[in-house]
């Protein structure tokens, strides 16, 4: 489906919102020919398990995980790339799953919070979040933990950030580096300082 077709179908939804409910329902029940969702088979591996899903091509990776695979650990905070609650690791890189279409991940290996650890066997980053009280309500925490795990991989791979002094040297794990790299993960409860402490502890153990 072209970008133009996606925009047109979005416009149709807005118009439907302004109609009486009965008219909107009638229209929803009888989609115009040519406007039916385009479906595609998407094969991807999530937390080590292979899946093939038949999806509307407009389905985001986040909705594929939550609605189709029932992996509800990844959270939907804003649904437009501003909060980081939906962060997952795709092919070794952290991404906002709400900003990525599932069809773009055919053949990819995805890791969600469910694939990092279990309640009986927590990932070291999850243990550190618990030890340092890196959360309150916990809504942002799955995204924070996935992001934090990927941040340490990025630093280990020598990828500089906006606050790295020397772009050619291997970045050091400083509080400034962690804050900058985690700046896409918002926490309404304000657990930021404890999150930095948790990540610093895990980085120290890996050094
Ligand atoms: S839900 Fe994806 S960034 Fe907020
Ligand atoms: S712990 Fe509540 S939003 Fe972060």
């Amino acid at each position: 489906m072209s970008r133009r077709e996606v925009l047109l179908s979005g416009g149709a939804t807005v118009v439907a919102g302004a109609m009486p409910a009965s008219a909107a329902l009638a229209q929803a029940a009888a989609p115009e020919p040519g406007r039916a969702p385009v479906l595609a088979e998407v094969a991807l591996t999530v937390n080590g398990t292979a899946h093939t899903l038949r999806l509307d091509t407009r389905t985001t990776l986040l909705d594929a995980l939550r609605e189709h695979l029932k992996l509800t650990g990844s959270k939907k905070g804003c649904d437009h790339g501003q909060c980081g609650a939906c962060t997952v690791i795709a092919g070794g890189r952290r991404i906002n799953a709400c900003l990525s279409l599932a069809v773009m991940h055919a053949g990819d290996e995805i890791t969600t919070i469910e694939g990092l650890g279990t309640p009986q066997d927590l990932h070291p980053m999850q243990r550190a979040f618990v030890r340092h009280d890196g959360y309150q309500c916990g809504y942002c925490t799955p995204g924070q933990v996935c992001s934090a795990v990927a941040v340490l991989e990025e630093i280990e791979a020598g990828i500089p950030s906006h606050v790295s002094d020397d772009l050619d040297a291997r970045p050091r794990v400083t509080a400034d580096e962690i804050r900058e790299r985690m700046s896409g993960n918002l926490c309404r409860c304000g657990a930021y300082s404890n999150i930095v402490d948790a990540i610093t502890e895990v980085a120290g153990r890996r050094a």
Side-chain angles (χ1 to χ4, degrees), residues 62 74-87 95-99 139 184:
L62 181 60
S74 308
K75 298 293 183 255
K76 185 181 281 190
C78 64
D79 210 17
H80 56 265
Q82 293 194 335
C83 72
C86 62
T87 305
I95 61 166
N96 287 338
C98 72
L99 284 188
Y139 196 81

Side-chain angles (χ1 to χ4, degrees), residues 18-122:
M19 288 177 189
S22 55
L25 269 179
Q27 192 180 59
E32 263 183 67
R35 291 284 172 88
V38 177
L39 301 178
E41 288 215 337
V42 183
L44 71 181
T45 302
V46 182
N47 301 330
T49 304
H51 298 276
T52 301
L53 301 172
R54 189 159 172 75
L55 298 172
D56 182 327
T57 50
R58 296 165 297 182
T59 307
T60 63
L61 178 61
L62 181 60
D63 284 342
L65 294 169
R66 289 180 54 86
E67 309 296 333
H68 295 263
L69 295 177
K70 307 300 176 199
L71 293 169
T72 54
S74 308
K75 298 293 183 255
K76 185 181 281 190
C78 64
D79 210 17
H80 56 265
Q82 293 194 335
C83 72
C86 62
T87 305
V88 300
I89 302 170
R93 300 179 66 176
R94 57 192 169 135
I95 61 166
N96 287 338
C98 72
L99 284 188
S100 203
L101 295 175
V103 288
M104 294 162 61
H105 294 282
D108 278 2
E109 303 236 353
I110 312 287
T111 304
T112 69
I113 191 71
E114 290 93 341
L116 285 180
T118 64
Q120 294 73 32
D121 183 21
L122 295 178

Side-chain angles (χ1 to χ4, degrees):
M1 172 179 274
S2 71
R3 182 177 157 76
R4 180 176 163 74
E5 284 169 322
V6 171
L7 290 173
L8 281 173
S9 64
T13 309
V14 171
V15 171
M19 288 177 189
S22 55
L25 269 179
Q27 192 180 59
E32 263 183 67
R35 291 284 172 88
V38 177
L39 301 178
E41 288 215 337
V42 183
L44 71 181
T45 302
V46 182
N47 301 330
T49 304
H51 298 276
T52 301
L53 301 172
R54 189 159 172 75
L55 298 172
D56 182 327
T57 50
R58 296 165 297 182
T59 307
T60 63
L61 178 61
L62 181 60
D63 284 342
L65 294 169
R66 289 180 54 86
E67 309 296 333
H68 295 263
L69 295 177
K70 307 300 176 199
L71 293 169
T72 54
S74 308
K75 298 293 183 255
K76 185 181 281 190
C78 64
D79 210 17
H80 56 265
Q82 293 194 335
C83 72
C86 62
T87 305
V88 300
I89 302 170
R93 300 179 66 176
R94 57 192 169 135
I95 61 166
N96 287 338
C98 72
L99 284 188
S100 203
L101 295 175
V103 288
M104 294 162 61
H105 294 282
D108 278 2
E109 303 236 353
I110 312 287
T111 304
T112 69
I113 191 71
E114 290 93 341
L116 285 180
T118 64
Q120 294 73 32
D121 183 21
L122 295 178
H123 184 281
M125 191 63 77
Q126 291 172 310
R127 264 203 299 275
F129 267 63
V130 172
R131 202 165 21 246
H132 288 276
D133 240 352
Y135 52 85
Q136 287 182 38
C137 76
Y139 196 81
C140 72
T141 311
Q144 301 275 6
V145 170
C146 285
S147 210
V149 167
V151 158
L152 295 188
E153 300 292 334
E154 286 161 19
I155 292 178
E156 211 159 288
I159 299 170
S161 81
H162 184 61
V163 299
S164 303
D165 301 330
D166 182 348
L167 298 186
D168 295 322
R170 186 171 157 186
R172 290 177 304 120
V173 184
T174 62
D176 277 352
E177 279 284 356
I178 293 173
R179 280 194 212 101
E180 166 63 18
R181 290 171 192 265
M182 293 294 292
S183 59
N185 290 84
L186 305 186
C187 174
R188 281 174 48 138
C189 299
Y192 295 114
S193 62
N194 294 354
I195 291 171
V196 172
D197 289 348
I199 299 172
T200 304
E201 183 201 301
V202 177
R205 274 193 268 124
R206 288 162 55 131

